Amino acid sequence: MTITSPSYDRALLRPRILHIGFGAFARAHQLVYLDEVLDQTDGDWGVVAARLNSGAAELSELDAADGLYHVVAQDGSGTDTRAVGCVIGTAHPARDGSEALPDLIASAPLSIISLTITEKGYGLTDGAFDPALPANAADIANPDAPRSAVGVILRGLARRRAAGLGGVTVLSCDNLPHNGALCRAAVLGMAKRIDPDLAAWVAQECRFPATMVDRIVPALTNDSRALIAQCAGRDDPNGILCEPFRQWVIEDSFAAGRPAFEKAGALMVSDVAPYEDMKLRMLNGPHSFIAYLGALSGYETVADCMDDPTLRAATRALMLTEQAASIAAPAGVDLTGYADDLIERFSNPALRHKTVQIAMDGSQKLPQRLLAGASVLAKRGAEWPLITAGVAGWMGFVRKAVLNPDFAPLQDPLADQIRAAASLPDGPEFVAAMVALPGVFPADTSLRATLASPIARTYADLVEKGPQGLLKPLLGAT
Ligand code: NAI
Ligand code: CS2
């Protein structure tokens, strides 16, 4: 059993980064990069790991372990275990009080607030700050006791400004297109409604770089926890299992310095957009396609789906004939090779990445993962039958989850509206109600109608013939 442990002096670390959303992904991605940077450069880039909602007990367990936790990377050929040491403290409002995170943001050493708060955590609709969403409305009405991530950040920034300190970098690491700009829109959108002077200060002093983040990190299960215990030599509730592959592309625009992320292999660039588009459409779109059509086929994991010849071929065809055609590849990237590597990564037998996990929050994922590519193809007069099959799969999945809770839980911020749609007769009425959900299909009415037009027929095919019966003829046609 070999464990790579921090080689740097942990006593030198100070609270320079606040990570909000210390879930599965951050543990295996941003914090591993930072750990490797520290191994090479020493420095004082310590992290305070925070969560806003659940998970206070796990954070206390992390404190009890002196901030050390384990990341196990595994594929068919073996495991690699790392003890990560960059966490120097934890914060949770329910445990430490509502000023705990703003206190940190307003402290002099703090330079970066990094985020993995899921797509829904930004409080956006159609890519814009939505003041009507309940969490946003509550924080606008009561900015001194915020509950949303954006409200907490603003409360901290307001105190930072009052203390005469400079701005910080807010580093979104969520799977959103142009995540830096969207994060900025969310923070400024709320700031303008709370205090226009604060909004002007944030716009001037803070930076919101875009990032493309990639590493497949399934939620911890009893099985992965047992494997981590075996590899780490102790039970570790904050440990995580992931694939060996990782990628991070970061817009090099920081307000108050940054770790030398490039030393751990991150690509620092001036324009992240081509990488974001490639990853969201080639990886995440097919991931959602597999999640919905795979779950409806009775498959528990992504790797199980890749063992099914029809789903495997359909996923690759979706990548190469539709999604790849909708993007401009980053310089030097061969999209066929990228697609083949993705199919290999999806086939990793060790991860047991659940289709039902990826299926959650579909209303927040479909726009950038599937409908964005369809929009490009539609404007060009090309066809998008596999994307349509994925969208029909989403509708079939959520309907089945509403009507049969033993099949899968319905987890989505629009769950109430989805339940209302699923109470309609199965067929065109249900499909039309799903298309009309806020923020999923494009706001442009003509484009929305074009994208929606093939879906009722494809959905009917899915209901009548099942995923295999729907996909096989599409493969013949592509
Ligand atoms: P997770 O469920 O382990 O952690 C999610 C974190 O977000 C938790 O701390 C949770 O409390 C917080 N959160 C959820 N809703 C929130 C809200 N409305 N406001 C504030 N915080 C909220 O999930 P995981 O795997 O860490 O993924 C998080 C995000 O990271 C994903 O949604 C995605 O955008 C991104 N990501 C995940 C990858 C993965 O393979 N797990 C890979 C690439 C990106
Ligand atoms: C997945 C992603 O849960 C999901 O929706 O599609 O989180 C995926 O694992 C990552 O983006 C891989 O980088």
Side-chain angles (χ1 to χ4, degrees):
M1 178 171 72
T2 311
I3 303 175
T4 307
S5 296
S7 64
Y8 50 91
D9 184 356
R10 295 186 72 216
L12 297 179
L13 301 178
R14 295 191 303 152
R16 306 257 347 244
I17 301 177
L18 170 64
H19 186 84
I20 305 181
F22 181 71
F25 181 53
R27 294 173 209 190
H29 191 269
Q30 297 90 58
L31 273 58
V32 169
Y33 274 90
L34 181 59
D35 215 51
E36 290 190 15
V37 171
L38 290 168
D39 268 341
Q40 295 176 59
T41 60
D42 288 317
D44 64 352
W45 288 98
V47 176
V48 176
R51 296 181 67 145
L52 295 181
N53 310 313
S54 59
E58 285 166 34
L59 292 179
S60 296
E61 289 178 291
L62 187 57
D63 292 333
D66 190 27
L68 284 166
Y69 68 91
H70 297 86
V71 176
V72 176
Q74 188 179 29
D75 61 12
S77 62
T79 59
D80 178 54
T81 306
R82 181 174 190 94
V84 175
C86 57
V87 175
I88 56 168
T90 66
H92 196 292
R95 188 192 64 184
D96 308 318
S98 63
E99 285 301 305
L101 274 76
D103 277 348
L104 278 159
I105 296 172
S107 68
L110 205 277
S111 304
I112 296 174
I113 304 168
S114 52
L115 302 174
T116 47
I117 52 175
T118 78
E119 293 85 343
K120 62 187 172 297
Y122 295 82
L124 302 160
T125 300
D126 282 327
F129 176 73
D130 184 348
L133 292 177
N136 290 343
D139 286 359
I140 292 168
N142 196 4
D144 293 346
R147 294 188 326 218
S148 74
V150 170
V152 166
I153 291 169
L154 269 181
R155 168 87 182 139
L157 292 177
R159 288 189 40 200
R160 203 173 167 87
R161 174 171 169 248
L165 295 168
V168 299
T169 300
V170 186
L171 188 65
S172 168
C173 298
D174 278 296
N175 278 327
L176 286 165
H178 316 298
N179 52 8
L182 289 183
C183 182
R184 186 174 190 273
V187 173
L188 290 182
M190 188 179 287
K192 282 178 188 151
R193 286 162 176 89
I194 292 174
D195 175 356
D197 289 343
L198 174 63
W201 182 87
V202 171
Q204 177 74 28
E205 297 288 327
C206 295
R207 295 285 177 276
F208 297 83
T211 65
M212 180 272 244
V213 288
D214 189 8
R215 186 169 214 176
I216 296 175
V217 191
L220 191 68
T221 62
N222 289 338
D223 285 348
S224 50
R225 189 163 166 169
L227 175 78
I228 294 160
Q230 213 183 332
C231 296
R234 70 160 167 95
D235 179 44
D236 183 357
N238 288 284
I240 199 73
L241 175 73
C242 59
E243 65 171 342
F245 179 90
R246 67 174 198 216
Q247 191 175 15
W248 199 5
V249 186
I250 308 171
E251 182 186 358
D252 201 356
S253 171
F254 285 72
R258 64 166 175 83
F261 291 122
E262 64 277 13
K263 292 206 181 286
L267 199 56
M268 307 302 303
V269 300
S270 57
D271 182 13
V272 177
Y275 295 93
E276 283 184 311
D277 286 348
M278 176 179 76
K279 194 259 174 170
L280 287 168
R281 298 206 200 149
M282 299 282 288
L283 189 160
N284 294 112
H287 234 189
S288 291
F289 174 92
I290 292 167
Y292 299 122
L293 294 167
L296 288 171
S297 305
Y299 294 125
E300 191 187 355
T301 71
V302 174
D304 293 342
C305 297
M306 292 299 92
D307 282 342
D308 177 308
T310 303
L311 268 176
R312 188 181 180 96
T315 303
R316 190 170 182 278
L318 167 66
M319 288 176 189
L320 287 172
T321 60
E322 297 182 23
Q323 301 282 58
S326 76
I327 54 172
V333 175
D334 158 33
L335 290 180
T336 305
Y338 186 72
D340 288 334
D341 290 347
L342 289 174
I343 296 288
E344 276 313 298
R345 290 171 61 196
F346 290 174
S347 306
N348 184 336
L351 293 181
R352 303 205 51 74
H353 200 184
K354 304 252 190 317
T355 48
V356 165
Q357 185 195 339
I358 299 165
M360 72 187 283
D361 289 348
S363 70
Q364 312 298 298
K365 293 175 174 174
L366 252 60
Q368 59 273 18
R369 293 182 177 209
L370 291 172
L371 295 165
S375 300
V376 173
L377 298 178
K379 285 178 192 159
R380 204 186 281 159
E383 296 198 328
W384 61 95
L386 288 162
I387 294 179
T388 301
V391 177
W394 166 60
M395 295 179 181
F397 177 93
V398 296
R399 188 175 178 94
K400 193 165 174 184
V402 170
L403 301 180
N404 176 8
D406 287 342
F407 164 63
L410 177 66
Q411 292 176 284
D412 195 292
L414 300 187
D416 289 346
Q417 290 99 314
I418 292 172
R419 277 197 196 90
S423 70
L424 296 168
D426 206 6
E429 271 181 88
F430 165 62
V431 170
M434 291 296 290
V435 169
L437 290 173
V440 181
F441 277 68
D444 177 287
T445 44
S446 137
L447 182 57
R448 170 184 287 236
T450 305
L451 297 194
S453 71
I455 289 183
R457 196 188 60 243
T458 303
Y459 179 76
D461 279 351
L462 175 64
V463 171
E464 188 195 329
K465 303 173 190 162
Q468 301 278 329
L470 170 68
L471 293 175
K472 277 183 181 146
L474 297 180
L475 286 176
T478 51

